[in-house]
């Protein structure tokens, strides 16, 4: 991870032709779990990602110039979809990769015939909330004490977007 994580100075948008999406494989799980642990204080585990794959969730890997840059996990329901995880390496944030991932999962869900997309976000994660607002997500409900926090629990905002 340290060879990839060099800092956050460059905020130049990354051209779409430098990005590639593929299904997450078992070979990607070590990297994804390591990235998750670097990004979040309360990360998903290797097992969480493996269980998502085993459950048949749509697990995507985003590459920038061939290097892993982010990932997303999408659970398809009967009529709707739930975005369970969407993450971009910190040094690549603010360069359009989160939006590229969001576009990919929204199009995948819409093409699969889903009419709405749901997700939860920490109340304190204002950067993610800004991305979701940009994508037309609106507050569906507040989930009290949904996430573990350093002291106690933190509320989640459940957001919804029509597809």
């Amino acid at each position: 991870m340290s060879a990839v994580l060099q800092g956050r100075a460059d905020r130049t948008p990354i051209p779409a032709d430098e990005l590639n999406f593929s299904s997450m494989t078992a070979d990607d799980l070590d990297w994804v779990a390591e990235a998750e642990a670097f990004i979040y204080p309360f990360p998903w585990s290797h097992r969480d990602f493996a269980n998502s794959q085993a459950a048949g969730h749509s697990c995507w890997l985003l590459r920038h110039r061939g290097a892993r840059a982010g990932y997303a996990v999408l659970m398809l329901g009967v009529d709707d979809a739930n975005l369970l995880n969407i993450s971009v390496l910190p040094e690549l944030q603010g360069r359009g990769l989160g939006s590229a991932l969001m576009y990919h999962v929204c199009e995948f869900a819409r093409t699969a015939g889903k009419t709405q997309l749901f997700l939860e976000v920490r109340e304190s994660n204002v950067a993610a909330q800004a991305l979701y607002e940009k994508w037309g997500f609106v507050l569906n409900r507040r989930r009290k004490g949904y996430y573990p926090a350093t002291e106690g629990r933190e509320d989640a905002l459940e957001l919804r977007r029509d597809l």
Side-chain angles (χ1 to χ4, degrees), residues 17 26 35 43 48 84 96:
D17 64 355
D48 292 328
L84 303 178

Side-chain angles (χ1 to χ4, degrees), residues 3-155:
V4 176
L5 304 173
Q6 297 297 323
R8 303 182 69 179
D10 185 7
R11 293 290 181 234
T12 307
I14 294 174
D17 64 355
E18 294 182 6
L19 303 177
N20 170 279
F21 297 93
S22 61
S23 292
M24 190 186 298
T25 69
D27 291 339
D28 297 314
L29 291 181
D30 287 342
W31 180 88
V32 170
E34 186 178 350
E36 179 84 357
F38 183 80
I39 296 168
Y40 300 109
F42 300 95
W44 279 28
S45 68
H46 187 285
R47 174 173 274 177
D48 292 328
F49 287 103
N51 287 344
S52 287
Q53 286 182 321
H57 298 158
S58 299
C59 301
W60 299 101
L61 195 68
L62 170 64
R63 292 179 186 268
H64 170 240
R65 295 184 182 163
R68 296 174 182 124
Y71 48 91
V73 177
L74 181 70
M75 180 176 70
L76 298 178
V78 175
D79 295 319
D80 57 26
N82 287 279
L83 185 56
L84 303 178
N85 192 318
I86 184 169
S87 302
V88 172
L89 291 175
E91 76 277 10
L92 295 173
Q93 291 175 6
R95 299 182 67 193
L97 277 77
S99 285
L101 264 171
M102 185 62 72
Y103 178 80
H104 183 79
V105 297
C106 285
E107 282 302 298
F108 182 84
R110 189 187 60 74
T111 301
K114 308 311 167 195
T115 59
Q116 293 184 326
L117 180 61
F118 291 89
L119 59 82
E120 288 94 17
V121 61
R122 285 180 181 272
E123 185 175 37
S124 63
N125 192 345
V126 294
Q129 289 175 43
L131 172 69
Y132 303 145
E133 184 178 330
K134 174 181 163 183
W135 276 89
F137 282 88
V138 296
L139 181 64
N140 194 53
R141 67 179 171 144
R142 177 181 298 272
R143 300 181 81 168
K144 292 283 187 190
Y146 185 81
Y147 289 112
T150 304
E151 294 185 24
R153 307 287 295 180
E154 181 177 359
D155 291 354

